[in-house]
Amino acid sequence: MTWPVPVLLHGYLGFSQFGPIHYFRGVAHALEQAGVHCLLPAVSPAGTIAERAGMLAYELFKSDIPEFFLLGHSMGGLDARYLASFLDPDRRIKRVLTVSTPHYGSPVATWALASPTLFPAFIRYIGRPGLDELTPEARLAAPIPDRGDVLYTSYASNRPLAEQSVLLRSLGRLIHDNNDGLVSVDSARWGNFLGTLHADHLELIGWSLGLPNASIVRPFDHIQFWTQAARS
């Protein structure tokens, strides 16, 4: 019996590796230590979902690996779902796990597209056309159907505003529901919902912008989470 090979998919404006810096900080090494070989393909940081999924299809399906388990953080989860639904004629994608993915969009994307201030203007400059596809309106207008033979599971994440770092707190205030600074809990629910993690959006991949604080369980143990998820 073969087990699907885990594939870690980075989010919007992300990367697989930049010099010594890994998007999923320390996760690949931890998985190797646990005897699990994973793939970390890179896609266009600000491409559309279809463009990013197309790049993934090319990278994954040129191999002879028979089965894949896609684990997507943030926009990477949308890429995973698109790939499974539209670009996998041989049915090699068996499972999709999304983690804090904006399945129903994020008000932060709406703000970034409309605000005249400097930071969102910069995001628009470097982050389109992908940014246009992350609003609630865009996700409603272009739904991605599930594939019947794929197992879809998901996690959300949440930190109360008072616990969020200064940078994410200003963005979290734009979301009128529980959120991790960029994506609401409700938007992250898809398929079999496995629960809400106590973390902000960047902590999920090992990049905590707040000081360590045991009373609020910061930083989130992302190594344990992704290792268990990939081996499940």
Side-chain angles (χ1 to χ4, degrees):
M1 178 178 178
T2 61
W3 292 94
V5 171
V7 185
L8 301 179
L9 306 179
H10 68 74
Y12 174 68
L13 296 184
F15 52 91
S16 175
Q17 183 175 356
F18 186 74
I21 302 172
H22 293 257
Y23 180 89
F24 292 93
R25 189 180 182 191
V27 174
H29 177 72
L31 284 171
E32 291 289 350
Q33 292 294 105
V36 179
H37 175 66
C38 70
L39 303 178
L40 293 98
V43 298
S44 172
T48 65
I49 296 166
E51 289 169 345
R52 288 163 55 105
M55 296 176 72
L56 287 173
Y58 174 78
E59 288 298 320
L60 298 182
F61 299 153
K62 68 182 180 182
S63 75
D64 59 0
I65 297 172
E67 297 183 351
F68 297 98
F69 172 21
L70 307 183
L71 300 93
H73 173 248
S74 197
M75 189 179 183
L78 295 172
D79 305 335
R81 288 177 49 213
Y82 191 100
L83 172 59
S85 294
F86 299 117
L87 302 175
D88 182 23
D90 295 327
R91 300 296 194 256
R92 293 165 72 180
I93 307 301
K94 300 302 181 184
R95 299 176 58 190
V96 171
L97 169 65
T98 64
V99 181
S100 193
T101 289
H103 296 289
Y104 301 99
S106 172
V108 176
T110 303
W111 166 82
L113 286 168
S115 175
T117 55
L118 184 61
F119 178 66
F122 175 71
I123 296 300
R124 290 195 296 274
Y125 178 72
I126 67 170
R128 299 179 89 169
L131 180 63
D132 299 284
E133 299 202 335
L134 298 177
T135 67
E137 296 77 14
R139 299 300 349 116
L140 180 64
I144 303 170
D146 285 349
R147 206 177 88 199
D149 61 330
V150 171
L151 174 62
Y152 294 89
T153 54
S154 64
Y155 283 97
S157 60
N158 173 61
R159 272 204 183 278
L161 284 175
E163 294 183 9
Q164 292 180 15
S165 65
V166 173
L167 175 62
L168 288 180
R169 191 182 308 149
S170 62
L171 302 177
R173 288 194 180 100
L174 300 170
I175 305 172
H176 302 302
D177 300 291
N178 291 335
N179 67 85
D180 62 6
L182 290 177
V183 178
S184 73
V185 170
D186 286 343
S187 187
R189 292 174 179 266
W190 197 265
N192 181 18
F193 183 62
L194 301 178
T196 301
L197 306 169
H198 190 184
D200 68 38
H201 201 74
L202 299 181
E203 278 183 280
L204 289 170
I205 52 172
W207 300 101
S208 178
L209 301 182
L211 294 174
N213 186 333
S215 67
I216 59 172
V217 197
R218 179 189 287 278
F220 172 72
D221 191 347
H222 73 291
I223 294 290
Q224 181 183 35
F225 169 73
W226 289 103
T227 300
Q228 290 182 346
R231 299 175 69 186
S232 63

